[in-house]
Amino acid sequence: MRNPSDPRALPGADPHTGNRLVDPVTGYDTTGHDWGGIRELNTPFPRIAVIALLLTFLYSVITWILLPAWPTGNDYTRGLLGLDQGRMARDGYQAVDATRQGWLAGFSDPDFAALASDDLLMAQAMPAAARLFADNCAACHGDAGAGGPGFPALNDADWLWGGAPETVAETIALGINATDNSRFAEMAAFDWLEPAERQALVDHVVALPQGTAATDSPGAVLFADNCAACHGDGGTGGLMTGAPSLADGAVIYGQDAAAVRTTLRHGRRGVMPGWSGRLSGTEINLLALYVATLPEAAP
Amino acid sequence: MHPSLTNAERQIGLGLAVGLALLGLAMAAMARDGAMAVHGAIALALGLGLVFRLGGALYDAAPAGPDRAARYDDAPTRFGITMTLAWAMIGMGAGIWVAALLYWPEGTPPWPATSFGRLRPVHTTGIIFGFGGNALIATSFWVLQRTARARLADAISPWVVLIGYNLFCTWAVTGYLMGSTQSKEYAEAEWYADLWLVVVWVIYFALYLRTLARRAEPHIYVANWYYMAFILVVAMLHIVNNIALPVSLAGAKSYTVWAGVQDAMIQWWYGHNAVAFFLTAGFLGMLYYFLPVRSGRPIWSYRLSILSFWGIVFFYIWVGSHHLHYTALPYWVQTLGMTFSVMLLVPSWASAGNAIATLNGAWGRVRDDATLRFMFVAAVFYGLSTFEGSFLAIRPVNSLSHYTDWTVGHVHSGTLGWVAMIIFGAIYTIVPQLAGREAMAWPKAVEWHFWLAVLGTLVYVIAMWNAGITQGLMWRTYDANGALSYSFLQSVQAMAPYYLLRTIGGLMFLTGAAICALNCRATLRAATARDLRNDRPLAAQPAE
Ligand code: HEM
């Protein structure tokens, strides 16, 4: 039995000379290990790996010196640059804000009429407002404010609460049916009416925008008794109750017989979130002017 | 399974199967919610299936004892490869589905289980744990026995590990389909599945050590170091990240004990080291075995393989915080994550370089043999994605790439280009040997698979690079008036062509994998009785 440290005892070694296998391609001998046919070359350590390791280590040391890096109990090394990511973020936002201040300042306590007539200002402000709208409102109100089932169109000049910029700003800030402070708009359920009465109402309401509604039909009478208080005489709206005009075809949920029947049976209470906590007052004013001018921009 | 077991072992197996069935029954009976009841039923069905299988074969002829001890135990590897391919179909299929939903969200059918939110974790878990994990376990048994020249320490543990592990994967993905999740990325499975995996994993590690202890080779080959690092560190990560309090022992829902930024840090310490030790270390073990075997070349540098092993093990553990740049995580933790990520590049490239230099003298084979080419491409993509990773870890770069599809591109250059390619290389090396054949049944199909895989990966990754950089720039571009130039919606709309391309790239990759699965089936069905495994004879073994 040979001493295990004898090179001749190693697998792969020549039992007489102790020489190991030399790889003909690279000219290196192997380490002598052999695992089911796998061998390893005795290649010297590649210098480039050491250099690379040193370079990356040097990069790290420099970074550790400059930036906050190592914990020291209750504190950490602050780094020569004295950077603080919270302050950097605030500075960054302020820098962006500064580029807006010039034109945005006018919206903090606005005179909407003056702002709207300032073409230069509008050219600066409206693209920004359009992005604000796309990021916050388009998900419900559609790309160009065209609305959809359940969400009112904002580009059609038919308003629930009014289209003056001041009114729109209030709607945006407070929201509708969202919190106790919101605008309140509730269509009660008329499930207590007889089905026949409801049907008469449905027929009447469907006919309203077509201009074919009789004024003395049973439906018209029922409407005047039960509905006109909120929807206005003849359903023309505009009473600041949040009840849409039923005379112009521009409604939230639809004015076909099926939609109206659902409205009457179950009532409606759409929700528009309030934005006062999420957008600044200035931004809300900017959006209000944008929304108020949407009908003009609509094709 | 049973042909590889002696009659006594079948009895033990039968006992374990009865135990599993009882566990399933108890879970199903106790469960107060759907997920746990279904999972109990799955365990019960599996246990009963095994009872019938083993009970029916209890007294059949058993393998001759001394002959068996003189051979490697490859039946578990064969089963593991079958499961690898099955999970490839499930995981990649779910991937195509969610990729298509991103392009066409309106196409979501009305059932919750078909929605993006439920199927994304089915994809990630199916691929990483189902496809990747089965491949790791199956090849680890193969590599371990051959580099130790010892048969697996016992015949039952490998089956417990593989069947138990696949039960975990099944519990996980069926849970997500039912909406049961811990909401921790790559660790979504609920508490009882996590506990089950711990048991399986301990048995796995014990089996590994016991087999190594019986080795006939004086040294432990570097591939085994990688596999052991994979098993050990994954156990540690899994346990720490998944510590949770179940709401009730009779329900699936649990809450993690970690909170706030500590929770985020632990999640990404887990998440990144899942990348490091699951998706990298274990697969490097695979590379270090199958590349030299297939190319017939010695490993280029023994010293480099040692440096990269310890470098990877040491540096990786630090870098999880690069997933949390610019968050509530303290700046100093981010700096450490960033700098260690940069240093990590060196041992990573050392491995990739060592693999590619090993092919010196075998380039002719790389050209002619698609199987070896899979491994070569894997090494190249490993180098690529680690370079990209270190680059993305640098804070200012990350401020552009974070939250964009660039990350997704990076991930898939790693998982498609590196992990999947090395798996396919290993499968095409093992399967003919299991079947006693010189080559796969359809050698041409391997070529087709290779080109579909490479092309699919490139289409996918290049599309996501473009998508990510486009998103990153659109999100940070301001116009002269200090307003964002693009709305978020526009950045989503801009993704449509890339998402379509990604779906197509994924389809190519899946087609290749399906060809691989069919090819393996044809090869194993056409098995010969010859034993073409050019293994060294086993050293004399003590009786089991
Ligand atoms: C030197 C090695 C590597 C480094 C330093 C690195 C670094 C990174 C970085 C910085 C991210 C992006 C974090 C973010 O912004 O969210 C990331 C994500 C990721 N990487 Fe790597 N990477 C490396 C190698 C790999 C490899 C080889 C793979 C796959 C086999 C991989 C798989 C992933 C995965 C799955 C994610 C996504 C995590 C998520 O879900 O957000 N990485 N990596």
Side-chain angles (χ1 to χ4, degrees), chain B residues 185-186 268 272 275 316 322-323 386 389-390 393 398 402 410-411 414:
Chain B
E185 199 176 12
Y186 313 129
W268 281 111
H272 199 80
V275 169
Y316 252 121
H322 67 215
H323 291 259
T386 49
S390 297
N398 197 262
H402 194 57
H410 162 66
V411 170

Side-chain angles (χ1 to χ4, degrees), chain A residues 25, chain B residues 294-297 358-368 372:
Chain A
V25 179
Chain B
R294 188 74 186 191
S295 64
R297 295 286 308 150
T358 296
L359 292 173
N360 272 338
W363 291 111
R365 284 208 195 174
V366 176
R367 192 190 56 220
D368 298 335
L372 190 55

Side-chain angles (χ1 to χ4, degrees), chain A residues 153-192:
Chain A
L154 302 177
N155 64 354
D156 61 359
D158 295 313
W159 301 100
L160 301 165
W161 296 95
E166 294 80 358
T167 320
V168 174
E170 201 174 332
T171 306
I172 299 172
L174 301 178
I176 301 167
N177 295 332
T179 65
D180 292 345
N181 297 330
S182 301
R183 293 193 187 279
F184 177 76
E186 178 159 11
M187 165 73 195
F190 283 83
D191 47 359
W192 48 270

Side-chain angles (χ1 to χ4, degrees), chain B residues 98-144:
Chain B
V98 292
L101 283 189
L102 280 175
Y103 177 68
W104 191 42
E106 301 88 339
T108 312
W111 306 285
T114 60
S115 66
F116 183 90
R118 297 234 175 137
L119 282 170
R120 186 191 186 271
V122 170
H123 163 63
T124 52
T125 302
I127 284 297
I128 298 177
F129 297 109
F131 173 61
N134 273 297
L136 284 170
I137 298 175
T139 58
S140 75
F141 291 157
W142 180 274
V143 171
L144 169 63

Side-chain angles (χ1 to χ4, degrees), chain B residues 145-160:
Chain B
Q145 298 183 83
R146 282 161 180 78
T147 55
R149 265 222 283 157
R151 189 180 156 87
L152 289 176
D154 75 284
I156 298 178
S157 302
W159 290 108
V160 173

Side-chain angles (χ1 to χ4, degrees), chain A:
Chain A
M1 195 66 193
R2 278 198 182 102
N3 177 347
S5 64
D6 184 336
R8 286 170 296 180
L10 292 171
D14 184 294
H16 299 296
T17 62
N19 286 342
R20 296 183 195 161
L21 221 66
V22 172
D23 173 46
V25 179
T26 54
Y28 289 120
D29 63 347
T30 70
T31 55
H33 306 158
D34 181 336
W35 293 280
I38 302 180
R39 292 164 181 283
E40 292 164 323
L41 292 181
N42 211 2
T43 321
F45 204 86
R47 171 106 44 86
I48 183 163
V50 184
I51 297 175
L53 203 55
L54 285 177
L55 281 179
T56 53
F57 183 65
L58 189 68
Y59 160 83
S60 300
V61 171
I62 295 174
T63 309
W64 295 336
I65 293 173
L66 295 179
L67 301 180
W70 285 93
T72 56
N74 282 335
D75 204 0
Y76 54 89
T77 58
R78 303 278 163 158
L80 291 182
L81 296 183
L83 296 182
D84 171 281
Q85 64 165 351
R87 200 169 55 229
M88 284 156 78
R90 274 192 302 279
D91 290 351
Y93 285 119
Q94 275 161 11
V96 176
D97 274 347
T99 60
R100 282 195 287 256
Q101 269 323 303
W103 59 266
L104 196 59
F107 286 88
S108 61
D109 185 17
D111 173 354
F112 283 111
L115 288 174
S117 57
D118 184 341
D119 288 340
L120 188 66
L121 183 70
M122 290 296 276
Q124 285 182 311
M126 284 304 112
R131 237 88 69 206
L132 213 51
F133 186 85
D135 279 336
N136 295 291
C137 324
C140 291
H141 288 289
D143 238 350
F151 303 102
L154 302 177
N155 64 354
D156 61 359
D158 295 313
W159 301 100
L160 301 165
W161 296 95
E166 294 80 358
T167 320
V168 174
E170 201 174 332
T171 306
I172 299 172
L174 301 178
I176 301 167
N177 295 332
T179 65
D180 292 345
N181 297 330
S182 301
R183 293 193 187 279
F184 177 76
E186 178 159 11
M187 165 73 195
F190 283 83
D191 47 359
W192 48 270
L193 284 177
E194 293 299 319
E197 293 173 315
R198 273 208 303 275
Q199 188 54 45
L201 275 168
V202 169
D203 293 340
H204 180 72
V205 170
V206 169
L208 275 176
Q210 285 144 19
T212 56
T215 45
D216 52 356
S217 65
V221 176
L222 279 164
F223 192 90
D225 290 349
N226 294 294
C227 323
C230 295
H231 285 281
D233 287 334
T236 50
L239 299 184
M240 290 299 276
T241 58
S245 159
L246 299 173
D248 55 14
V251 291
I252 309 176
Y253 307 99
Q255 215 164 335
D256 55 291
V260 175
R261 205 173 291 125
T262 310
T263 302
L264 282 178
R265 260 189 79 85
H266 302 291
R268 298 278 191 190
R269 199 169 190 276
V271 174
M272 149 88 178
W275 294 86
S276 57
R278 276 175 277 197
L279 297 175
S280 69
T282 316
E283 285 170 324
I284 288 177
N285 290 331
L286 177 62
L287 268 175
L289 192 57
Y290 174 78
V291 169
T293 54
L294 272 177
E296 294 161 33

